[in-house]
Amino acid sequence: MNEISNIKAFGVIGDPIAQSLSPDIHNFWIKKSNISAYYNKFHLQTKCATEDIKALQRFDVQGLNVTMPYKEYAIKAAVNVSETAEKIGVANTLKSTPSGWYADNTDAVGFLNALLSCLENKDLTGKAILLIGAGGAARAVAYILSKQNVDLTIVNRTVSKADDLITELAPTAKSNSLSDLTNDMDAADIVVNATSLKAGLVDSIEFPDGNGRLFFDLSYGKAPEEILRKASQSGWQTEDGLRMLVEQAALSHELWHGETPDVEAAYQMCQEKIR
Ligand code: NAP
């Protein structure tokens, strides 16, 4: 039995936060490894996010995951920032250090690990990848894919955002609007959807024949069910964002506790919980 004073506090902050699976995932690994810690969810509603995130460290919180809408404030609240988080411009993981928060972004490598786990041939070199979307999540995806020698095309409703993303993070990528989406999907080996799947978008997408190619949607749970069904009916191999969620959590766990957790077991647990 752990003394309550020895139990280290971790958690996730966001608004909204009620649906977050992060406490389930992290407490699953904490329990499995018998670590003296507890991971909570904190519903943060504030106009002073940077100051409030700094204050959480003073309350002896050892590590935080940060979700919408506070990922950019996590960087501002940190005294040290990883190269990945610095480049992407947002952080999803904070670790307490004596001088203040250290900020990292585990979405990028978490996405890459999840993507590779879907592929028989783990070598992405030369693959034509179509990224749909240019928001926060797409930035992490574009950043990590640009390091894999892939042939990247980024399409977005607002093309100027795709162009900005390319200039900042993926200089060899090309951009396009959504008007040629079917042709762009047809030319790709892998399609990654990083849009927030708002009404109208899914209906407007016409999938070309997939022939077993991968359609990877970053969202998970009920949200991507319709688009994944459409993709699957057109012959695409489909994957939702649940594995990415678990992979990015595993990298946070490693940063905080210095051990690699069981990704597969946590993924199964999450699947049972939400399906
Ligand atoms: P975001 O910053 O708000 O970006 C939203 C993107 O969706 C933008 O590219 C936006 O285009 C596009 N979009 C929104 N409504 C659209 C519409 N009606 N038609 C066409 N495009 C539309 O959101 P985000 O943070 O990047 O998140 C994107 C998705 O990734 C969400 O579903 C989120 O849950 C998921 N995600 C998953 C994980 C994971 O671990 N699995 C992690 C992070 C995010 P414009 O630029 O033109 O507005």
Side-chain angles (χ1 to χ4, degrees), residues 67-105:
T67 186
M68 296 292 286
Y70 300 122
K71 289 185 177 187
E72 63 192 85
Y73 298 95
I75 292 215
K76 293 180 189 154
V79 292
N80 284 304
V81 179
S82 72
E83 190 190 329
T84 306
E86 183 90 61
K87 285 263 185 204
I88 297 169
V90 293
N92 72 333
T93 304
L94 293 167
K95 181 184 179 177
S96 179
T97 73
S99 54
W101 288 120
Y102 167 73
D104 199 1
N105 185 311

Side-chain angles (χ1 to χ4, degrees), residues 111-112 115-116 119 121-129 144-145 148-151 189-190:
F111 160 76
L112 181 65
L115 178 69
L116 292 176
L119 301 172
N121 176 358
K122 311 285 180 205
D123 185 7
L124 291 174
T125 310
K127 290 258 187 285
I129 303 190
I144 202 72
L145 286 180
Q148 313 305 312
N149 291 323
V150 300
D151 174 7
D189 296 311
I190 296 168

Side-chain angles (χ1 to χ4, degrees), residues 8-250:
K8 292 183 175 148
F10 294 83
V12 56
I13 55 168
D15 180 24
I17 200 64
Q19 301 305 317
S20 175
L21 284 170
S22 293
D24 300 279
I25 298 169
H26 285 282
N27 286 321
F28 177 80
W29 288 326
I30 284 170
K31 196 169 167 201
K32 227 170 183 274
S33 295
N34 202 19
I35 297 169
S36 185
Y38 191 73
Y39 186 107
N40 231 316
K41 57 178 110 169
F42 303 105
H43 187 189
L44 189 65
Q45 287 184 298
T46 179
K47 289 195 164 61
C48 315
T50 308
E51 288 314 309
D52 288 354
I53 294 170
K54 281 183 190 167
L56 277 163
Q57 201 208 14
R58 293 197 291 274
F59 285 114
D60 216 19
V61 176
Q62 300 296 304
L64 281 177
N65 284 129
V66 182
T67 186
M68 296 292 286
Y70 300 122
K71 289 185 177 187
E72 63 192 85
Y73 298 95
I75 292 215
K76 293 180 189 154
V79 292
N80 284 304
V81 179
S82 72
E83 190 190 329
T84 306
E86 183 90 61
K87 285 263 185 204
I88 297 169
V90 293
N92 72 333
T93 304
L94 293 167
K95 181 184 179 177
S96 179
T97 73
S99 54
W101 288 120
Y102 167 73
D104 199 1
N105 185 311
T106 66
D107 279 336
V109 178
F111 160 76
L112 181 65
N113 291 345
L115 178 69
L116 292 176
S117 76
C118 302
L119 301 172
E120 253 172 58
N121 176 358
K122 311 285 180 205
D123 185 7
L124 291 174
T125 310
K127 290 258 187 285
I129 303 190
L130 178 70
L131 170 60
I132 311 171
R139 289 180 66 83
V141 171
Y143 169 76
I144 202 72
L145 286 180
S146 72
K147 293 179 167 299
Q148 313 305 312
N149 291 323
V150 300
D151 174 7
L152 182 63
T153 302
I154 303 176
V155 299
N156 196 43
R157 177 178 59 178
T158 314
V159 183
S160 61
K161 277 178 68 182
D163 288 335
D164 290 348
L165 198 167
I166 288 170
T167 307
E168 286 175 54
L169 296 173
T172 59
K174 303 177 280 295
S175 69
N176 206 351
S177 69
L178 289 176
S179 61
D180 288 330
L181 191 55
T182 306
N183 284 333
D184 283 335
M185 285 200 280
D186 207 22
D189 296 311
I190 296 168
V191 175
V192 179
N193 182 28
T195 69
S196 45
L197 288 174
K198 289 282 157 42
L201 176 64
V202 179
D203 293 341
S204 70
I205 296 181
E206 281 184 33
F207 279 89
D209 258 350
N211 294 318
R213 289 175 289 167
L214 178 64
F215 180 84
F216 189 115
D217 200 296
L218 258 54
S219 57
Y220 53 87
K222 296 266 173 253
E225 275 179 0
E226 196 188 335
I227 197 166
L228 294 179
R229 185 179 43 74
K230 274 184 88 167
S232 177
Q233 282 171 352
S234 302
W236 292 76
Q237 175 195 345
T238 57
E239 180 75 18
D240 72 6
L242 188 60
R243 193 176 281 279
M244 171 180 168
L245 178 80
V246 177
E247 292 281 6
Q248 62 77 27

